[in-house]
């Protein structure tokens, strides 16, 4: 078990591709951290640098309190689950899982025990004699997980370990990984592009974009207080609604976007004053929009109604402006119906259209 | 329309089919026919039943030639496989001028066997050869490369390896490049050393190529001919008399076509059995 620290780490491929830029994170011993971001933002590269599979262009990586920049992967005592499983095709499942232990000269009884324990957790006991070729994608992924678990390393690195599973299995294994972390209390760094996975798993999540950290924090924190428009839009499903409009000052501030105009009353008025006469981006999450039963509210039309079972997604429109609202399943609305909506202003966000930063 | 198309197909494959009939199918059937005959090319054929086989089993020189060929294979094949694999591994690394070396090692493969053999005959020459001059220069004695019964066959095996190793190196190189990098990365994380990665990842991954190389070089080795024919004429004291050279002599020096055909079939049978055993021993179940 160990802390993992990245100090000003930069990775440049082929002298010009900045895959990771000035990356600074401190992960304390036993923490479960999720790195999340869209495809190609450099998540795998960060993980591979920690593992030692990719050289660091600039900066330092510490595992424990040692700089590991020039230490070979096998000396770092980490285990990694690869995005593409990376199982050994000519070895059966048992040999795949136990290979690392055999190389480290672990006693064969101990190997047997650890492999069986891992297989039990992952539900792959019956597959021990099969070759990877004869496994489904999900089974392979579980074998890859098994291979890392038995090692009992200082740090676990997971590169989208659940990406190829069906929804049910994904939820199951997500829970399994959570439990595993609770039991082992080993530092785990988990990469995913799936923000739901990030929200449910992480104690701390780190949101990346184009090789740069956008925000670090607890899931609740990044959800409620996104630092910029990217984070606000990336976290949460369906995404936050964004509307660009003008701030006007007519006895109190007014957000003006033609037919979608409303007074701003969120406690942010002080900061928004300097935007009077300028553009601003208004952001509101789907669950912070509700249908008003009374005459009050902004008029919109329900264009599409998506029944999700436990909730309804309403696609609302007025002129060119569209919004998605998430309302309780018993809401009485129909497609084509004219409704009045109300924003939960304390939960609304405002972004500077130039810097994209939250005001 | 369809008939036209299929006619076109036959026409286009005709050159190979004609070639195959004249140079493969016909000789095979004809030599099978010859096995039971005595024939000196110009005279009439005479049916002799199994007499050619009786002769073969009591022909010490034929068995000497088989023995010689096996000695050749025992030196040549391990040397060739190991050297080709090592070269491939080295030239698969990111080293300077790697394309140049790849081409250089492949060169001898495309040079005519006769030319190579004449060249090496000069290199191996006991009194004027470059090799012995080199040995003398660094303080060793002369080696009778081609003129002693003990050294002649190993010398030929060494040369044959030099000539063919490039081809097998290329095959291995292709095999090595098809081993995905992530397998080595996984092994790195699992804690494997370079040697362990070679043993547990590379070798099993290229197992099919190893089998192919073994079989190809076994078959190629059994047909050893040009080298002893040009270099030593089978000597000294028949120590480099290879089976194919012996068959050639029976056929084209002594005009015993029936007997030569019989020995040819026997050689084919031996090759078949050896290759079968090789496959059994090294093929991994999948
Ligand atoms: N070996 C390489 N050479 C050049 N560019 C690379 C290399 N590896 C990655 N990149 C580039 O670096 C960037 C980050 O890649 P990385 O694999 O880390 O993304 P990722 O966040 O893991 O994406 P995904 O979610 O699709 O796996 C990408 O733009 C990619 O094209
Ligand atoms: Mg990735």
């Amino acid at each position: 078990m160990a802390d993992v620290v990245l100090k000003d780490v930069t990775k440049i491929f082929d002298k010009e591709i900045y895959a990771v830029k000035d990356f600074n994170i401190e992960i304390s011993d036993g923490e479960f951290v999720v790195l999340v971001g869209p495809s190609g933002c450099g998540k795998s590269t960060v993980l591979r640098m920690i593992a030692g599979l990719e050289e660091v262009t600039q900066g330092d990586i510490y595992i424990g309190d040692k700089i590991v920049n020039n230490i070979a992967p096998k000396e770092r005592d980490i285990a990694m689950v690869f995005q593409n499983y990376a199982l050994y095709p000519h070895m059966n499942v048992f040999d795949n899982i136990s290979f690392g232990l055999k190389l480290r000269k672990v006693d064969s009884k101990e190997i047997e025990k650890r492999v069986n324990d891992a297989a039990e957790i992952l539900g792959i006991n019956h597959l021990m004699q099969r070759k990877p070729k004869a496994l489904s994608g999900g089974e392979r992924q579980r074998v890859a997980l098994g291979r890392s678990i038995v090692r009992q390393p200082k740090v676990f690195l997971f590169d989208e370990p659940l990406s190829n599973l069906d929804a049910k299995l994904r939820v199951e294994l997500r829970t399994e990984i959570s439990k595993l972390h609770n039991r082992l209390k080993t530092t785990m760094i988990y990469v995913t592009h799936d923000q739901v996975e990030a929200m449910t798993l992480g104690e701390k999540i780190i949101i990346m974009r184009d090789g740069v950290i956008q925000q670090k924090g607890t899931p609740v924190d990044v959800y409620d207080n996104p630092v910029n428009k990217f984070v606000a839009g990336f976290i949460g499903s369906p995404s936050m609604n964004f509307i660009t409009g003008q701030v006007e000052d007519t006895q109190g501030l007014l957000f003006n976007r033609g037919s979608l105009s409303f007074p701003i009353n969120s406690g942010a008025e002080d900061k928004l004053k300097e935007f009077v006469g300028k553009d601003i981006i208004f952001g509101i999450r789907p669950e912070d929009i509700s249908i008003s039963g009374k005459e009050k509210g902004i008029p919109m039309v329900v264009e599409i109604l998506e029944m999700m079972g436990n909730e309804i997604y309403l696609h609302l429109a007025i002129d060119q402006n569209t919004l998605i609202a998430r309302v309780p399943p018993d809401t009485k609305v129909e497609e084509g119906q004219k409704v009045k909506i109300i924003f939960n202003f304390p939960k609304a966000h405002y972004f500077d259209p130039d810097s994209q930063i939250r005001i | 329309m369809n008939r036209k198309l299929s006619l076109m197909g036959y026409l286009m494959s005709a050159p190979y089919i004609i070639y195959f009939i004249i140079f493969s199918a016909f000789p095979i059937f004809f030599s099978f026919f010859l096995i039971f005959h005595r024939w000196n090319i110009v005279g009439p054929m005479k049916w002799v039943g199994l007499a050619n086989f009786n002769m073969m089993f009591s022909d010490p020189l034929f068995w000497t030639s088989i023995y010689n060929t096996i000695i050749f294979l025992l030196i040549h094949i391990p040397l060739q496989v190991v050297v080709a694999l090592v070269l491939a591994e080295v030239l698969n690394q990111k080293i300077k001028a790697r394309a140049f070396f790849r081409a250089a090692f492949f060169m001898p493969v495309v040079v005519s066997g006769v030319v190579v053999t004449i060249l090496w005959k000069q290199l191996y020459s006991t009194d004027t050869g470059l090799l012995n001059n080199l040995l003398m220069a660094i303080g060793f004695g002369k080696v009778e490369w081609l003129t002693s019964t003990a050294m002649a066959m190993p010398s030929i095996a060494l040369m044959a390896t030099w000539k063919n190793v490039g081809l097998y190196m290329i095959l291995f190189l292709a095999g090595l490049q098809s081993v995905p990098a992530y397998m080595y990365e996984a092994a790195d994380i699992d804690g494997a050393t370079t040697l362990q990665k070679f043993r547990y990842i590379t070798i099993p991954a290229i197992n099919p190529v190893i089998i192919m190389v073994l079989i190809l070089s076994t078959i190629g080795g059994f047909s050893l001919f040009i080298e002893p024919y040009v270099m030593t004429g089978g000597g000294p004291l028949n120590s480099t008399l290879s089976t194919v050279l012996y068959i050639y002599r029976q056929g084209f020096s002594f005009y015993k076509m029936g007997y030569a055909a019989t020995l040819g079939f026997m050689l084919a049978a031996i090759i078949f059995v050896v290759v079968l055993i090789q496959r059994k021993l090294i093929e991994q179940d999948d």
Side-chain angles (χ1 to χ4, degrees):
Chain A
M1 297 203 219
D3 301 357
V4 175
V5 177
L6 276 74
K7 260 208 185 111
D8 302 322
V9 171
T10 294
K11 175 72 194 180
I12 308 171
F13 284 112
D14 304 331
K15 298 204 168 73
E16 54 175 19
I17 305 167
Y18 280 75
V20 175
K21 268 178 265 180
D22 297 326
F23 212 84
N24 282 293
I25 47 176
E26 283 179 31
I27 299 165
S28 21
D29 187 10
E31 210 171 7
F32 194 126
V33 173
V34 177
L35 261 176
V36 63
S39 185
C41 70
K43 309 178 295 287
S44 292
T45 306
V46 170
L47 221 53
R48 291 168 56 82
M49 285 192 291
I50 298 173
L53 298 174
E54 214 73 74
E55 260 179 62
V56 177
T57 312
Q58 281 160 33
D60 291 316
I61 296 181
Y62 299 75
I63 297 179
D65 28 320
K66 255 196 331 210
I67 295 189
V68 294
N69 288 22
N70 296 313
I71 292 181
K74 69 184 183 111
E75 315 290 343
R76 296 192 187 190
D77 201 9
I78 37 107
M80 177 157 173
V81 176
F82 288 80
Q83 196 165 357
N84 58 359
Y85 332 117
L87 299 179
Y88 309 117
H90 52 277
M91 296 184 198
N92 66 21
V93 169
F94 183 90
D95 291 338
N96 258 290
I97 297 180
S98 60
F99 187 59
L101 298 179
K102 275 185 200 142
L103 293 178
R104 287 181 159 79
K105 304 246 173 352
V106 177
D107 172 68
S108 69
K109 274 213 192 83
E110 173 71 12
I111 292 181
E112 189 102 1
K113 187 179 163 298
R114 286 203 213 166
V115 174
N116 285 339
D117 287 352
E120 189 75 37
I121 294 172
L122 298 165
I124 49 174
N125 310 58
H126 58 296
L127 303 173
M128 283 302 154
Q129 299 309 319
R130 291 216 206 146
K131 294 263 171 77
K133 201 167 65 180
L135 301 176
S136 74
E139 287 165 343
R140 285 178 208 176
Q141 215 146 33
R142 281 181 279 163
V143 174
L145 275 171
R147 181 166 68 180
S148 67
I149 295 173
V150 294
R151 282 268 316 282
Q152 307 184 347
K154 275 197 243 164
V155 180
F156 279 107
L157 305 174
F158 296 121
D159 197 350
E160 312 209 15
L162 308 183
S163 55
N164 290 301
L165 304 180
D166 62 48
K168 183 166 166 284
L169 207 56
R170 192 178 311 175
V171 173
E172 258 174 52
L173 278 181
R174 204 156 74 195
T175 326
E176 231 28 271
I177 290 176
S178 275
K179 280 197 220 152
L180 194 73
H181 178 245
N182 288 338
R183 204 170 38 163
L184 301 178
K185 296 268 175 264
T186 307
T187 314
M188 291 187 179
I189 306 174
Y190 188 105
V191 159
T192 177
H193 64 261
D194 177 354
Q195 52 90 18
V196 178
E197 212 165 280
M199 296 293 285
T200 46
L201 271 176
E203 293 171 356
K204 178 155 107 187
I205 72 180
I206 298 171
I207 298 153
M208 284 180 75
R209 178 198 197 183
D210 297 339
V212 180
I213 294 180
Q214 305 290 305
Q215 189 168 4
K216 303 177 242 191
T218 61
V220 177
D221 191 34
V222 293
Y223 190 81
D224 289 341
N225 305 302
V227 291
N228 59 25
K229 183 175 171 239
F230 172 78
V231 173
F234 187 75
I235 299 288
S237 172
S239 290
M240 186 183 283
N241 298 290
F242 297 109
I243 310 158
T244 308
Q246 275 211 331
V247 183
E248 285 171 13
D249 194 356
T250 51
Q251 313 147 352
L253 294 181
L254 188 78
F255 178 88
N256 184 3
R257 164 86 191 204
S259 41
L260 193 73
S261 300
F262 45 85
I264 297 171
N265 40 8
S266 67
E269 287 94 335
D270 284 350
K271 282 183 258 169
L272 290 174
K273 274 220 173 81
E274 47 186 287
F275 283 87
V276 170
K278 290 188 208 153
D279 275 352
I280 195 170
I281 299 170
F282 171 77
I284 186 98
R285 291 200 183 277
E287 66 267 31
D288 296 322
I289 302 174
S290 51
I291 307 289
S292 154
K294 306 173 200 109
E295 282 305 294
K296 254 175 59 186
I298 304 159
M300 291 195 94
V301 177
V302 178
E303 292 219 307
I304 298 169
L305 182 153
E306 287 180 295
M307 184 66 197
M308 306 304 292
N310 58 347
E311 57 198 9
I312 299 175
Y313 297 161
L314 297 177
H315 295 243
L316 305 163
I318 180 160
D319 300 334
Q320 272 80 50
N321 303 313
T322 58
L323 293 173
I324 296 181
R326 202 163 111 183
V327 297
D330 52 1
T331 312
K332 295 273 175 291
V333 280
E334 287 167 18
E335 284 183 2
Q337 187 181 333
K338 287 184 182 142
V339 292
K340 295 267 170 75
I341 59 162
I342 298 171
F343 296 134
N344 179 11
F345 279 107
K347 289 272 183 107
H349 304 282
Y350 304 89
F351 303 92
D352 182 331
D354 296 325
S355 66
Q356 307 268 307
I357 288 175
R358 187 164 70 105
I359 302 155
Chain B
M1 177 65 200
N2 238 334
R3 192 175 280 179
K4 247 190 183 161
L5 259 184
S6 62
L7 183 70
M8 192 70 178
Y10 285 120
L11 271 177
M12 292 181 87
S13 49
Y16 179 73
I17 292 174
I18 293 168
Y19 170 88
F20 175 78
I21 290 173
I22 296 178
F23 292 101
S24 291
F26 172 71
I28 289 172
F29 284 108
F30 186 58
S31 60
F32 183 71
F33 175 76
L34 279 178
I35 284 176
F36 307 101
H37 292 80
R38 187 171 295 158
W39 185 44
N40 67 359
I41 303 182
V42 283
M45 280 184 210
K46 189 175 163 236
W47 171 267
V48 293
L50 293 177
N52 283 329
F53 280 95
N54 286 335
M55 189 149 78
M56 178 182 77
F57 283 112
S58 54
D59 178 355
L61 217 45
F62 174 66
W63 298 106
T64 302
S65 79
I66 294 280
Y67 172 82
N68 288 340
T69 307
I70 288 174
I71 294 293
F72 169 78
L73 290 173
L74 286 180
I75 303 169
H76 172 63
I77 292 180
L79 195 65
Q80 172 138 290
V81 170
V82 170
V83 174
L85 191 50
V86 169
L87 283 179
E89 182 71 33
V90 170
L91 293 184
N92 196 30
Q93 312 296 318
K94 285 184 186 117
I95 55 168
K96 279 207 181 106
R98 136 177 113 159
F100 167 77
F101 283 114
R102 286 180 186 177
F105 285 114
F106 194 72
M107 264 305 230
V109 178
V110 291
V111 175
S112 138
V114 178
V115 172
V116 167
T117 310
I118 291 172
L119 196 82
W120 276 75
K121 197 173 173 180
Q122 160 57 24
L123 284 181
Y124 275 150
S125 159
T126 309
D127 293 319
T128 59
L130 204 62
L131 266 178
N132 273 352
N133 281 340
L134 221 80
L135 281 181
M136 305 259 283
I138 54 172
F140 288 96
K142 285 182 182 175
V143 176
E144 299 215 22
W145 295 106
L146 295 174
T147 44
S148 76
T149 50
M151 278 310 292
M153 200 46 128
S155 298
I156 287 182
L158 189 70
M159 180 193 78
T161 306
W162 178 84
K163 166 132 176 57
N164 297 323
V165 81
L167 175 65
Y168 299 110
M169 174 196 79
I170 295 288
L171 294 178
F172 276 132
L173 206 51
L176 289 177
Q177 283 175 348
S178 71
V179 185
Y182 69 73
M183 276 173 62
Y184 294 112
E185 292 179 344
D188 273 336
I189 298 220
D190 268 339
T193 60
T194 308
L195 224 60
Q196 284 169 327
K197 277 188 276 185
F198 189 74
R199 165 75 188 79
Y200 294 110
I201 308 296
T202 311
I203 295 285
I206 63 169
N207 186 266
V209 185
I210 296 177
I211 292 174
M212 182 172 72
V213 166
L214 265 176
I215 289 175
L216 283 179
S217 59
T218 302
I219 295 173
F222 266 115
S223 39
L224 177 69
F225 171 70
I226 292 178
E227 292 86 345
Y229 180 73
V230 173
M231 263 183 160
T232 58
L237 293 173
N238 288 328
S239 63
T240 60
L241 181 69
S242 71
T243 311
V244 176
L245 180 58
Y246 187 61
I247 294 172
Y248 170 83
R249 284 212 184 132
Q250 290 298 329
F252 298 100
S253 300
F254 310 144
Y255 301 111
K256 293 186 187 169
M257 296 313 276
Y259 187 48
T262 310
L263 300 185
F265 264 87
M266 188 63 195
L267 179 61
I270 292 174
I271 293 177
F272 181 76
V273 171
V274 170
V275 167
L276 218 63
I277 294 172
Q278 280 179 334
R279 286 191 64 154
K280 266 261 157 6
L281 287 181
I282 41 173
E283 201 155 34
Q284 292 189 336
D285 53 318
D286 227 18

